[in-house]
């Protein structure tokens, strides 16, 4: 249901007004538990000159608006800073990924060269062994 409701009640005389409001305050996220109920009553009186009260209300609203504007500006500055940091981090990450790929490619090329040289050396040694073995068989005969 509603978390907040109010009523404006007139008394016996037109000058007798009362503002009553009800608050439902959930004590936990568990909806099976009953919330705390608060009822407040504020008697209202008619003012001969409501201007000072209206000035106070408007001043409060303007001060709150200025405070919220300042908070909003600070939050926007923080957001901009965080976005710049994120963009820098993404750029650095992309650069590191590209460097890693280039390094891997270079390592594979070098590894291929070393591996091919080793294979060539093994073939040469096998041929040499075969020649020695063949020569020793011929020498025995």
């Amino acid at each position: 249901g509603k978390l907040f409701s109010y009523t404006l009640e007139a008394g016996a005389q037109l000058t007798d007004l009362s503002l009553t409001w009800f608050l439902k305050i959930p004590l936990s996220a568990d909806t099976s538990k009953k919330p705390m109920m608060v009822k407040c009553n504020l008697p209202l009186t008619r003012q001969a000159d409501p201007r000072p009260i209206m000035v106070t209300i408007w001043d409060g609203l303007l001060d709150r608006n200025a405070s919220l504007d300042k908070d909003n500006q600070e939050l926007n500055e923080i957001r901009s800073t965080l976005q710049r940091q994120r963009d820098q981090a993404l750029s650095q990450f992309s650069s590191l990924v590209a460097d890693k790929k280039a390094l891997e490619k270079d390592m594979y090329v070098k590894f291929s060269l070393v591996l091919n040289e080793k294979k060539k050396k093994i073939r040469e040694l096998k041929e040499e062994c075969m020649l020695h073995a063949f020569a020793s068989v011929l020498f025995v005969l």
Side-chain angles (χ1 to χ4, degrees):
K2 292 182 182 179
L3 296 178
F4 174 78
S5 63
Y6 68 94
T7 58
L8 187 60
E9 300 168 349
Q13 299 179 11
L14 288 177
T15 57
D16 295 337
L17 290 175
S18 176
L19 176 65
T20 305
W21 66 90
F22 302 92
L23 293 174
K24 250 191 236 185
I25 303 172
L27 299 176
S28 71
D30 184 4
T31 56
S32 66
K33 292 185 179 180
K34 289 193 172 195
M36 180 172 69
M37 303 295 287
V38 177
K39 177 181 177 182
C40 300
N41 189 12
L42 179 65
L44 302 174
T45 57
R46 184 173 290 277
Q47 296 292 315
D49 184 11
R51 285 179 287 187
I53 294 171
M54 293 304 295
V55 166
T56 302
I57 290 171
W58 280 107
D59 284 346
L61 289 172
L62 290 172
D63 289 346
R64 181 66 178 148
N65 188 45
S67 172
L68 290 173
D69 281 345
K70 182 181 175 193
D71 291 348
N72 190 33
Q73 183 179 3
E74 290 171 1
L75 289 172
N76 278 331
E77 289 171 4
I78 291 170
R79 182 191 54 79
S80 294
T81 300
L82 289 173
Q83 192 156 11
R84 274 193 308 277
Q85 290 174 349
R86 181 192 65 107
D87 292 343
Q88 289 171 350
L90 285 174
S91 173
Q92 185 178 12
F93 177 72
S94 295
S95 174
L96 290 173
V97 167
D99 290 349
K100 178 187 164 278
K101 285 181 181 179
L103 181 64
E104 283 178 353
K105 184 178 179 181
D106 187 47
M107 285 176 54
Y108 286 134
V109 166
K110 287 178 181 177
F111 177 73
S112 268
L113 291 173
V114 169
L115 185 62
N116 289 335
E117 284 295 317
K118 293 296 180 187
K119 285 180 181 179
K120 181 180 174 186
K121 183 69 174 175
I122 290 171
R123 279 192 297 270
E124 289 171 357
L125 289 173
K126 277 185 180 178
E127 287 175 9
E128 192 177 311
C129 280
M130 297 281 267
L131 286 176
H132 284 319
F134 185 67
S136 63
V137 167
L138 287 178
F139 183 69
V140 172
L141 295 174

